[in-house]
Amino acid sequence: MCRRTAMHNKSLTAEQKAALRCIPSIERLLTQGPFIALQEEYSRDLVTEILRTVVSESRRRVLDEGTNVGSLDESRYIHLVREKLDELTTSSLRPLVNATGTITHTNLGRALLGESARESLCLVAANYINLEYDLDSGERGHRDRVTEPLLQRLTGCEASTVVNNNAAAVLLTLNTLARGKEVIVSRGELIEIGGSFRIPDVMAASGAILREIGTTNRTHLRDYEEAINDNTGLILKVHPSNYKIVGFSATPDIAEITDLGRRHGVPIVEDLGSGSLIDLTRYGLPREPVVRDRLEAGVEIVTFSGDKLLGGPQGGIIVGTSKLVQRIRKNPLMRALRVGKLTIAALEATLRLYLNEDRLPQGLPMLNCYVRSIEEIQRVAERLVSNLRKIVGESIRISIEDSQVQIGSGTLPVETLPSLAVVLESRQLSAEHLAAKFRAQPTPVIGRTQDGKFWLDVRTIEERQYSWIIKAAERIAVTK
């Protein structure tokens, strides 16, 4: 008898004692047909461990709550064990509908990969590949050779390397080029990026010494020049991709800063954050700095994200002069921060799409979301409203409302895109309760609550996700 049971024995009722006696033994349950079959599907040790948990929970309920769980049918135990096994062995990552009004949503996995990237992932996951193997010489190669030719063509860089995210790219660059030296940064660029990672903190971790110049809203070229000394490691420019300073503000042109760096022999590094490979204005989107333009202006190292505006897998891309990139590659931290074959495969496939800009929206899901026409969004919204009304009847008022979406993940911080939202207002349920019901479905539907209503922004709803929303509504209508 366990110690806990012994402590309770004196105060147990006759019904509780009877209930405890009725709980079947673990060994007896394991010899039953359904449990034998379960042990063939899973290991005996795992089934036994889960069964012990279920039986212990039954005893606890008898002791703490007086519940007569001891009289449960043995089939109930197999159900509870299978339920826990399914919970343990099923992936916790689930596809869902992003109807939040944020296109590249950090919490929802950021960029959707194109078909070619998905196919490449499957190919390299299932096979040995020449990741670091030179097929011509039969000797060891370098993994950067996969993406470097594409990055050279798309950005004009001399060399490149890839690490696991842009914060890592900045950290590695600073540690390599300016450890123990001063790094000059404008106060207006000491930004905080996602997950409370701040540029000053990343710089401190790299071993570089922060040298702040200028003010939050105005920094002049003379501020940079006056800060240069014998212990200056580099000048760091940080593109404020998650906020914007407007009004009485000033900052030198990048060409002025690179000219200053050349005159004093100080490298210029720029963190572009979201990093665009193309001029987005050709698609009717707000302008973002283009990587090629920064390199042509004389920036020696540019770092940016592989997802966000680029639309590939999460990663940090470092492009620049061969001399500096080679130094970065040789940093011992490189091995800790480098990416594996899956990221490289997806990134290579995504970069290839940029070789044909005219077809880019068809191959790149995120860009397709950005450029989707209001007319197309209207058709999807009307179809969705028509079907939802058939399901919910008069219990929920449904309308189509104008909406504004954010590109998200620290990109284009103040610009929004026009959109439409299907808006649900229940007579019985609060907006928060309705949102919770949609989140609780086998395929969750994630919207937003606003003005006491539940909003489903349509810009990011793909054709294949349409049925997920309908099925969610049907389940909610049945269980309400």
Side-chain angles (χ1 to χ4, degrees):
M1 184 181 296
C2 75
R3 191 173 183 182
R4 181 184 177 127
T5 304
M7 291 172 63
H8 278 270
N9 265 350
K10 294 182 181 179
S11 58
L12 291 179
T13 65
E15 290 79 7
Q16 284 176 308
K17 291 178 181 179
L20 287 173
R21 286 194 295 271
C22 289
I23 296 176
S25 73
I26 291 172
E27 287 304 318
R28 185 162 72 81
L29 286 172
L30 288 172
T31 61
Q32 304 302 308
F35 277 100
I36 291 174
L38 208 57
Q39 291 169 68
E40 292 174 356
E41 185 178 351
Y42 302 96
S43 73
R44 177 183 173 86
D45 287 345
L46 180 58
V47 173
T48 302
E49 180 185 341
I50 299 298
L51 180 56
R52 283 200 182 101
T53 300
V54 170
V55 170
S56 294
E57 288 175 356
S58 296
R59 289 198 181 98
R60 181 192 57 76
R61 290 178 63 193
V62 171
L63 296 172
D64 295 344
E65 305 169 23
T67 309
N68 189 18
V69 294
S71 60
L72 288 177
D73 186 87
E74 290 186 4
S75 63
R76 180 62 178 162
Y77 284 94
I78 187 70
H79 172 77
L80 292 172
V81 170
R82 181 169 284 283
E83 197 174 68
K84 287 186 178 292
L85 282 168
D86 288 344
E87 189 177 302
L88 181 66
T89 57
T90 300
S91 173
S92 59
L93 296 175
R94 298 159 63 187
L96 52 77
V97 177
N98 173 19
T100 61
T102 299
I103 300 175
T104 309
H105 201 302
T106 300
N107 298 341
L108 303 184
R110 294 192 179 182
L112 304 179
L113 298 179
E115 183 179 357
S116 59
R118 299 195 299 269
E119 290 175 351
S120 187
L121 279 172
C122 291
L123 179 69
V124 303
N127 297 280
Y128 292 109
I129 61 168
N130 56 323
L131 178 66
E132 290 187 354
Y133 185 79
D134 188 315
L135 294 173
D136 292 329
S137 67
E139 297 178 354
R140 185 186 179 100
H142 197 285
R143 63 184 64 196
D144 282 342
R145 65 170 179 75
V146 179
T147 54
E148 188 170 69
L150 288 165
L151 288 167
Q152 287 171 331
R153 178 177 291 273
L154 295 170
T155 71
C157 71
E158 294 178 1
S160 67
T161 192
V162 183
V163 290
N164 53 29
N165 59 35
N166 190 49
V170 175
L171 173 73
L172 184 62
T173 299
L174 292 174
N175 181 264
T176 303
L177 306 181
R179 184 179 180 184
K181 295 185 177 182
E182 291 184 359
V183 173
I184 300 171
V185 189
S186 167
R187 286 187 174 87
E189 297 174 8
L190 294 176
I191 65 171
E192 178 178 309
I193 54 182
S196 298
F197 288 98
R198 298 177 172 182
I199 287 294
D201 296 339
V202 173
M203 189 173 295
S206 74
I209 302 165
L210 173 61
R211 178 70 183 271
E212 301 178 37
I213 61 168
T215 62
T216 301
N217 61 320
R218 293 178 71 83
T219 299
H220 304 282
L221 188 64
R222 65 175 180 272
D223 295 319
Y224 285 97
E225 187 156 23
E226 290 170 0
I228 295 174
N229 60 60
D230 292 341
N231 196 37
T232 300
L234 57 88
I235 294 173
L236 176 65
K237 286 288 295 175
V238 183
H239 177 56
S241 54
N242 62 352
Y243 83 104
K244 181 171 284 188
I245 297 176
V246 295
F248 189 62
S249 60
T251 187
D253 184 79
I254 190 65
E256 293 180 293
I257 295 176
T258 56
D259 178 65
L260 176 69
R262 277 193 297 271
R263 286 191 281 112
H264 289 272
V266 176
I268 309 299
V269 172
E270 184 164 20
D271 168 20
L272 279 186
S274 52
S276 181
L277 294 181
I278 56 174
D279 182 1
L280 295 174
T281 59
R282 69 170 292 181
Y283 300 104
L285 297 170
R287 180 169 178 80
E288 274 281 286
V290 177
V291 176
R292 176 184 289 274
D293 293 345
R294 310 312 261 199
L295 292 174
E296 289 180 352
V299 178
E300 289 162 270
I301 290 291
V302 176
T303 70
F304 55 99
S305 293
D307 52 357
K308 297 187 177 180
L309 286 181
L310 197 152
Q314 181 170 318
I317 302 173
I318 303 171
V319 297
T321 66
S322 182
K323 177 182 176 181
L324 296 186
V325 171
Q326 288 297 339
R327 287 179 58 188
I328 291 169
R329 280 179 181 158
K330 294 175 181 178
N331 189 317
L333 284 176
M334 184 70 210
R335 187 169 183 84
L337 300 176
R338 71 182 184 180
V339 294
K341 65 177 184 178
L342 298 181
T343 299
I344 290 173
L347 180 59
E348 180 197 26
T350 302
L351 291 173
R352 287 190 187 283
L353 295 174
Y354 281 85
L355 298 176
N356 186 352
E357 283 190 39
D358 293 334
R359 294 190 54 79
L360 193 56
Q362 288 75 43
L364 204 59
M366 305 314 294
L367 183 58
N368 184 265
C369 282
Y370 304 152
V371 303
R372 204 173 182 185
S373 70
I374 284 293
E375 291 74 21
E376 181 187 351
I377 295 171
Q378 178 81 38
R379 288 193 293 271
V380 174
E382 290 175 351
R383 179 182 167 206
L384 189 56
V385 166
S386 175
N387 283 278
L388 287 175
R389 282 175 176 163
K390 294 175 185 176
I391 296 169
V392 302
E394 299 297 320
S395 62
I396 297 177
R397 181 178 175 273
I398 305 176
S399 61
I400 297 174
E401 305 289 344
D402 290 335
S403 177
Q404 294 289 322
V405 301
Q406 295 177 322
I407 289 183
S409 285
T411 59
L412 299 170
V414 298
E415 292 86 356
T416 58
L417 302 176
S419 185
L420 296 172
V422 173
V423 181
L424 286 71
E425 185 176 13
S426 172
R427 292 181 173 85
Q428 292 84 29
L429 304 174
S430 68
E432 290 73 18
H433 195 174
L434 196 57
K437 280 185 170 291
F438 273 94
R439 286 199 309 272
Q441 299 309 307
T443 303
V445 178
I446 315 297
R448 70 178 188 271
T449 57
Q450 179 181 323
D451 302 327
K453 302 172 186 178
F454 181 52
W455 291 55
L456 297 173
D457 198 287
V458 179
R459 182 172 281 277
T460 48
I461 297 175
E462 298 181 355
E463 180 65 30
R464 64 190 174 90
Q465 298 171 335
Y466 184 89
S467 62
W468 298 353
I469 300 173
I470 298 301
K471 288 178 181 177
E474 288 172 343
R475 289 173 62 92
I476 291 170
V478 169
T479 59
K480 67 179 181 181

